[in-house]
Amino acid sequence: MKFDSTDRYIVADDLGIAVNAAVTLQRPLLVKGEPGTGKTELARQVASALDMPLIEWHVKSTTKAQQGLYEYDAVSRLRDSQLGDARVHDVANYIKRGKLWQAFTAPARVVLLIDEIDKADIEFPNDLLQELDRMEFHVYETGETVRALHRPVVIITSNNEKELPDAFLRRCFFHYIRFPDADVLAAIVRVHFPDIKPALLTTALTQFFEIRETPGLKKRPSTSEVLDWLKLLLAEDLSPEDLRRDGKQALPKLHGALLKNEQDVHLFERLAFMARGQR
């Protein structure tokens, strides 16, 4: 099994090496990078390329590690006991399997995505150390031990909102997705918009990188945002000439797809004002 670029997903060489190394080592692949650089989509594409089912666990600020294993619904069992329901005699009826349980007991090897692990409490990664390392866990209510039938390919994403524990990092293969250069980004765009005219693509990406590298920008636009922007440009049938900016209009066309806060909009308005003052 080897992961590489597909007709729908462009993979930089170092990212392909990281995925294949993690699969070979049978360790979780921890992927960091700016929001919008395709970390979540990577897991979907790995599952597709390796012909494996995908199980997605999207982590929230309230998510607990135990939920990935299982949850015991004691309230429902109490209610059923009061109603005389026969199900109450088997505690297994009140065990809800989590994403790790589903991945461990799948009939074939799967890709398990643990998405945005840094959103959860700082103890969340530590609470999963043994389970991800040993590929097993104990269910105290039933007395059973759940062991992985096939070791899943585990991909963990992080937006770097908080530091992850060293003990957790030691068990992972790490890769940081750098923002693609102009050539790679152009290839990504062509995958999504194969009929885009070369002149429009060149002009749009030149302007995009100028915007992204503007000093003082609070939130730099990402890959997903440039794709949204280009989709709008194509829908409006704009030409390269339509994208040109001058001193009076520093904001890009349809800038709402690229600039996501008022500070950055005001920054470009100030730049336009300064440019007019220098004339």
Side-chain angles (χ1 to χ4, degrees):
M1 295 182 293
K2 185 176 178 61
F3 177 67
D4 204 347
S5 295
T6 69
D7 56 352
R8 295 183 296 123
Y9 191 81
I10 301 299
V11 178
D13 291 342
D14 57 347
L15 178 55
I17 291 171
V19 171
N20 292 313
V23 172
T24 300
L25 292 173
Q26 296 189 335
R27 288 191 176 276
L29 173 63
L30 174 61
V31 184
K32 291 187 178 183
E34 296 178 31
T37 50
K39 300 184 296 296
T40 302
E41 184 62 24
L42 171 66
R44 295 166 182 157
Q45 294 298 325
V46 169
S48 176
L50 301 183
D51 195 24
M52 295 180 185
L54 173 65
I55 295 176
E56 301 186 31
W57 184 14
H58 299 285
V59 177
K60 302 178 181 178
S61 59
T62 56
T63 302
K64 302 299 181 184
Q66 179 65 32
Q67 293 172 304
L69 308 180
Y70 68 92
E71 293 182 90
Y72 169 51
D73 192 351
V75 174
S76 291
R77 193 182 189 197
L78 175 60
R79 183 194 63 226
D80 288 348
S81 68
Q82 294 170 339
L83 296 174
D85 194 323
R87 296 174 68 251
V88 75
H89 299 295
D90 186 356
V91 68
N93 291 325
Y94 303 92
I95 300 291
K96 179 182 178 182
R97 298 186 177 191
K99 299 297 185 179
L100 265 71
W101 191 330
Q102 295 173 31
F104 286 3
T105 57
R109 198 177 188 190
V110 303
V111 174
L112 172 63
L113 167 64
I114 305 177
D115 198 28
E116 298 188 329
I117 194 172
D118 53 324
K119 278 188 175 180
D121 184 87
I122 188 62
E123 292 303 321
F124 181 95
N126 280 333
D127 291 342
L128 289 178
L129 284 179
Q130 296 300 325
E131 289 76 13
L132 290 177
D133 208 23
R134 297 180 181 178
M135 287 287 140
E136 66 177 40
F137 62 89
H138 188 70
V139 183
Y140 295 98
E141 289 77 7
T142 63
E144 65 180 308
T145 297
V146 177
R147 294 185 177 88
L149 299 176
H150 308 277
R151 193 177 189 98
V153 176
V154 182
I155 297 179
I156 303 170
T157 73
S158 169
N159 287 327
N160 228 9
E161 292 183 6
K162 61 171 68 82
E163 291 296 323
L164 299 174
D166 288 345
F168 181 79
L169 295 174
R170 190 170 64 247
R171 288 165 167 81
C172 298
F173 190 94
F174 172 76
H175 182 76
Y176 183 86
I177 297 182
R178 295 179 178 85
F179 194 82
D181 60 26
D183 291 338
V184 173
L185 188 56
I188 292 172
V189 170
R190 291 190 193 98
V191 166
H192 292 268
F193 309 109
D195 297 327
I196 191 169
K197 295 179 180 178
L200 177 62
L201 176 59
T202 299
T203 302
L205 290 189
T206 299
Q207 188 172 124
F208 170 76
F209 277 105
E210 289 174 354
I211 294 167
R212 182 175 160 81
E213 301 305 323
T214 299
L217 205 62
K218 182 177 181 181
K219 196 240 178 252
R220 296 193 293 178
S222 67
T223 308
S224 63
E225 287 157 343
V226 73
L227 293 175
D228 286 345
W229 184 52
L230 285 166
K231 185 176 181 178
L232 291 173
L233 298 182
L234 292 170
E236 294 291 330
D237 197 24
L238 298 181
S239 68
E241 291 73 24
D242 294 325
L243 299 185
R244 288 177 180 162
R245 296 181 293 160
D246 54 31
K248 295 181 180 180
Q249 180 58 42
L251 284 169
K253 295 283 187 182
L254 301 165
H255 64 270
L258 299 175
L259 305 177
K260 298 303 178 74
N261 58 71
E262 64 275 16
Q263 293 96 319
D264 289 341
V265 172
H266 293 160
L267 171 63
F268 279 90
E269 290 174 341
R270 288 197 301 272
L271 292 174
F273 177 79
M274 293 169 59
R276 290 196 297 269
Q278 292 173 358
R279 293 191 173 188

